[in-house]
Every structure is written in structure tokens, then in C-alpha cells.
Amino acid sequence: MMQRWLPVGIGAGLTAVFFFFVTLNNIQTETYDLERFSTADETIRSPVTVEKEQETERKVRETVQAVADRYTTSEEVTEDQIAYVNEIFDAIDTLEEEQLNVSQADQEDAAVPVADTEKVQALRQILSTDIAEAVSSSVLTNLINASKNEREAGKMLFTSALKESLENGVRRENLETSITNVKDAVKYSNLEMDTKEGLLELSEFAVAENSFFDMEATMEARRTAASNVDPVVVQAGEVIVREGQTITNEIYEDLELTGLLDSERNLYPIIGLLLFILLLSGVIGHELGRLQKLNELDRGKAVALVTISFLVVSLMKVVSLYAPEGSQLIFMVPAAMGALLIKQLIQERTAIIFSIVYALIASIIFNQQIPALLNFEAGIYFLFTQLAAVFFLVNMKDRLALVKAGFGIMTVNVLTVLLFLFLSFEQYDLMDLFIYAGFGIVSAFLSVVFTIGLLPFFETGLGILSDSKLLQLSSPNQPLLKKLLTEAPGTYHHSVMVANLSETACEAIGANGLLARVGAYYHDLGKTVRPHYFIENQLAIKNPHDRMPARESAKIIISHTTDGAKMLKANKLPVEIIDIARQHHGTTLLKFFYYKEKESNKRAFESHYRYPGPRPQTKEAGVICICDSVEAAVRSLKEPTEAKIEEIVSSIIKDRLTDGQLDETPLTLKDLDVMQRTICGTLKGIFHSRIQYPMKEAK
């Protein structure tokens, strides 16, 4: 059991270890032995994003100190002061009206003029106490003596200037300035001099402090300003010091802050990388385990996956080491090669899984050795180019399929490169677009070339049977197929018919149709050892078995499976083809000769007339086991009607099932039902009824 899962553990483990050491220097922080005021020998970038706390605190202090004190203007004070002024003018108007009424009542008496002091005294009696005590008699006298129109104009001018000054806020420190502003409005007016003098003196009373310091509003403004201060940070990848630049105190502090002067390496990036690689190895191990459960993973395929991973990631690493900073040479990496090889050597799902893994590794490898940075542009590009390889590599009937896939990869590469260029918001001229798009074209071209060049090494060196290898083996020019055609033409025709049936049936149940076809071509190669002992090659000759003991005949017939396996092995054909030749009869009973022997020898052993096996182990071998018998049985029918075909196919499948020949295959009852309908449909198309043309009568 442990030996069976050994390729999974070794494959996932080796790949994980390789990924770790390849990406280690991309996350490790290099340290420098530098002194203050020395000269930098190279350009040094920050490996991490870190806040400069002291600079941030200083910036906050400066911002808070720059916040002006907040004051609250009292609308009550403003309204009171304006009301006081209005009260003065209204009181004067009221006093004049009263004096006018009195004079009209006493018009028969001689008019006695009222003195200014009496007017002021009367005015004080009707004014508020605050006004009467604060406003001087000279102010009141000047306003009383002004004409009504003059007084109205002065009131309008004065109250307008006063209101504007109070609404702007009068604080203790700007009280004199506010009074001066009101006085200037009066001074430069067209009023009479006496009125101006009264209003100028009234300004001292009317303009009062109405704006007071607001502690709560001030603190809130300072808190808001402090919260809006962006922290001062050194960004990952930011140049701290350039080559030849003097290391000032500020630069030295930045180097120290980012850990570039600390000889003790930070272990956290390494721990993070270990976790990342652990997750990737889990994905790889799960996929390899799935292949193992499906019996689709052997030591050769495990080695192929590890080798391909080494090749693809090594190419990325080499380009990352020698490509200039910010260079677009990463678009030339032939990463699609990995997906093309894995899809041909293993299967499509595995190619997709490893494409994602390689793209994630690329995002670290091309991070310009900045631990906190992942190059998502590189990751997306490598993911798209590999998925394009998986998508466009279809119908692998010849090497031209790889070329067609290359054009598809090329298109996706160019579109992805242009996507990055247009999203960058940088100005590129037409030549730049052509150059960068050319990188994508070169990548696709190199991927196809490397795939075509490396594929034979994996097929031959590791014994992996790919579609391209199967296509080569299916060529009629293959020496063994030529031998079969020339020495056993009947068997060759039978093999071609079985190949057609097997391929159709395998494709219907999701098995490898191409493998079934090629395996069927070679499954009866052992009959070339004694071709005339098999009925399909007996043309115009007597059957030699008629003159032989049943036991001898059975030995000859049964030996064609082992003879074929030996010939295929000697010619170094893939083990999958050899297994099909050995397993296509399983341990079935050679009924004709067994019952013939039973007629004369009641003690005949059934084991002497059974094939040595082993029984079919794969879906393809199981399908060929059934199709081989079906084709021979149907061909022996004189009038193969649809009913007879269905009956024969059904009986053969049931016989193989009840005899236990399919017990070791992954075939399900549903698969057998689908196979039966597919095989019947194919045979009905081959043995359809034809129009019988009338014979020409002899004259």
C-alpha cells in the first residue's frame, strides 16, 4: 500500500522543496553594513511597507497647532446691540412727536424754545437704563439736533455697518478694529459733521464683544485635523537610497526602520513562504492522489510532473534574475510549455491545476525580491497563457494540433499584454505596443517548440504514452502493423474492425478512445506466429485444427496472447499496448476445443482451455475484450439482422460479466449499458441491408 502511494508523496515533496528554495531569496530581506554619512554602493529599496511613527507624530502636532481657535458668535448680543441703536433713534422720533403735539396745543401762547439739556433729559427718561448710563449727552444732542431725514440716513448707515461688524464676530482682540470699521463707514459718508460726530462717539457703545472662545468646537476641529493626517510610511519597493548617494541621518533611520541594518533576519517571511508552499503542495498532492486512485499515475508520470515543474519554474527564475527592473521580458517566458506537456502526458484537469500553481509561483518569483510584494500582473499573464494552451490543444491527431494551439496561445498572450499596457495609464507609442506584443508571440512560439522537442524525451525516457505517441503507433507504416497486414491479412482486417468498435465505445463511456484504437490494432499481433491456425486467415485452405488434437489446437490459439505480448515488448512498445495484448482475452474459456475434448475425454480439465490472463485491468482493455468477441461473432453470421446483432452483443457482455472477466476493470453497469447500445449502433451501421441489384440475363 505504501509503495503504491510512494510516487504521490515523493512527487509532491520534491516539488514543494524545489519551489521553496527557488522562491526563498524573493522573500528574504538582504541586510547591509552601512555607516552614517557614508556613500551607498548600490540602490537600496525598502523590502516592506512600514510607518515612520515619529514623523507621523510630528506631522500630527504641526497640523493640530495649525488649527485656529474656534469662536461662537452670540446672536443675542448682536440683536441687543442693534436693538439699543434702534431704541435711541426711535426714542428721539417719539420725543419730537410729543413736543410737536404740545406746541400745537399751546399755539395761542407765545412759543418758548426748549433747551438742548431739557431735550436730553427728557430723552434719558424714556431710554433704557443701560443706554442712558452709557451714551453721553453730546451724542444724544447731536442726534436730536439733526433733521429727521438726516437722522434717518444716519440710522440706516450706522445700523448697516454695525450689523456687518457684529455678524463678522467681535472678539476681545479685534474689538478696536471692529469699532474702527464702523467709524470709517460713518466718517466717509455724506452726513453732516454734527451727525457724524454723534455716530462716531456712539460706535464706542454700539460695538461690543459678541464672539467667544469655544473650547469644545476647537478640540473637535483639532481631533478632526489629526485624524485626517496620513501616516508617513516607507512603501515596499520604494527607493531609500540610490547608488552614490550620501547616507544622511534621515536615510539611515529609514534603513534602520525597515530592518536593512539588522543582521538578524526576520523569520516571519520565511514562515509565510512555508505556509504558502504547504498549501501548494497540498493541492499538488491531492491531484496526484486523485490520479493514483484512478490508476492513471505511475512512477514515470510522477517523474514527468516533477521534471516539468522544475523546467517551467527554472525558466521563470532565470528570466527574473537577468531581466532589468521593470522590464517586460517576463512576457517572453514560455510558460505554456508546461500546460502543453502535462495535458499530453497526463490529462487536462492536471494541466489546469498545475497551471494555477505555476501562476502563483510566478507572482512571487517576479516580485523584484520585495518580500511584501506579489506581482499579480505576472501571475495573471502566466495563468492566461497556460489556460489558453489547455483550451486550444484539442484533437491531437498530428503534430499540427500543437501548431494550431500555438496560434491560440499567441492570440491570448497578445491580448493579455495589451490589456496590461492599456490599464497602466502610461503613454506608449505604437512601436512599444508592437515590441511588447512581440514578446507574447515569442512566448507562444517557444512554448510550442520546446513542447515538440521535449515530448519525445518524456515518451521514450519515462515510458509515458501520449496521444502523439499513439498517433505514431497507429500509422500503417509501423513495422509491426505491416507485418500483421502481410502475414495475417484476415487478422489485420479483424483488428481494424475491433479498433473502430472499441474507439466508439470508449468515447461513449469517457475512456481513452485513441488508446483503445491503437491497442486493438496490436492486440492480435501474436497470431502472426502461426497465422494459418486462425480462421480469419484461412483462405482457400483446409482448417489445420480438423486434423489436430483439441489440446494442441487450444495451446496454439491460447498462445497468441503471450506471443503478441513478447513481440510487443521486444519492439519496445508502451506497456499499455502490451497489457491490452496480454489481457484482451482475460482468463476466458476456449469453449469450442474444450467441449470437443470433453466428447472423447470426460476428465478434461477446464483450466487447460482457459487463457492465462491476467483479466482486463483498465476500461480500454475491458472494452477491447468485449469488442473482440463481438466482432468475431457478428462476422460469422450469414444474415446479420438487427435482432441477431443485439442478441449476440447482449449475450457476450453478460457472459464476460458472469465469468468475472470484468471484475478488475473500473467499468460500471452503466458503462456496460452505454457500451452495448453504442456497439449495436455501430454494427448496424456496418452491416446495414443493401439493395440487391438485378443480374444481367445472358443472351
Side-chain angles (χ1 to χ4, degrees), residues 54-89:
Q54 292 183 349
E55 286 294 317
T56 302
E57 291 175 0
R58 181 188 60 77
K59 189 175 179 181
V60 169
R61 286 197 304 270
E62 292 176 352
T63 303
V64 169
Q65 291 172 0
V67 175
D69 292 340
R70 296 294 187 263
Y71 289 83
T72 300
T73 300
S74 174
E75 294 183 0
E76 293 181 358
V77 175
T78 301
E79 292 174 357
D80 287 345
Q81 294 304 111
I82 294 175
Y84 286 157
V85 174
N86 289 332
E87 184 179 347
I88 293 172
F89 283 97

Side-chain angles (χ1 to χ4, degrees), residues 471-497:
L471 289 171
Q472 293 178 7
L473 295 175
S474 66
S475 172
N477 293 322
Q478 286 291 329
L480 292 179
L481 290 184
K482 280 186 175 182
K483 176 182 178 66
L484 184 64
L485 176 61
T486 56
E487 297 181 9
T491 300
Y492 179 84
H493 180 265
H494 160 73
S495 298
V496 171
M497 296 296 292

Side-chain angles (χ1 to χ4, degrees), residues 89-108:
F89 283 97
D90 292 342
I92 294 173
D93 291 341
T94 301
L95 183 63
E96 283 189 348
E97 290 178 2
E98 290 178 354
Q99 291 179 352
L100 180 62
N101 292 334
V102 171
S103 63
Q104 289 177 352
D106 299 334
Q107 59 184 347
E108 295 178 355

Side-chain angles (χ1 to χ4, degrees), residues 583-599:
Q583 298 169 11
H584 76 277
H585 279 295
T587 58
T588 55
L589 178 64
L590 204 57
K591 294 181 180 179
F592 178 81
F593 294 107
Y594 173 66
Y595 290 123
K596 181 180 178 181
E597 177 69 14
K598 288 282 285 185
E599 292 176 359

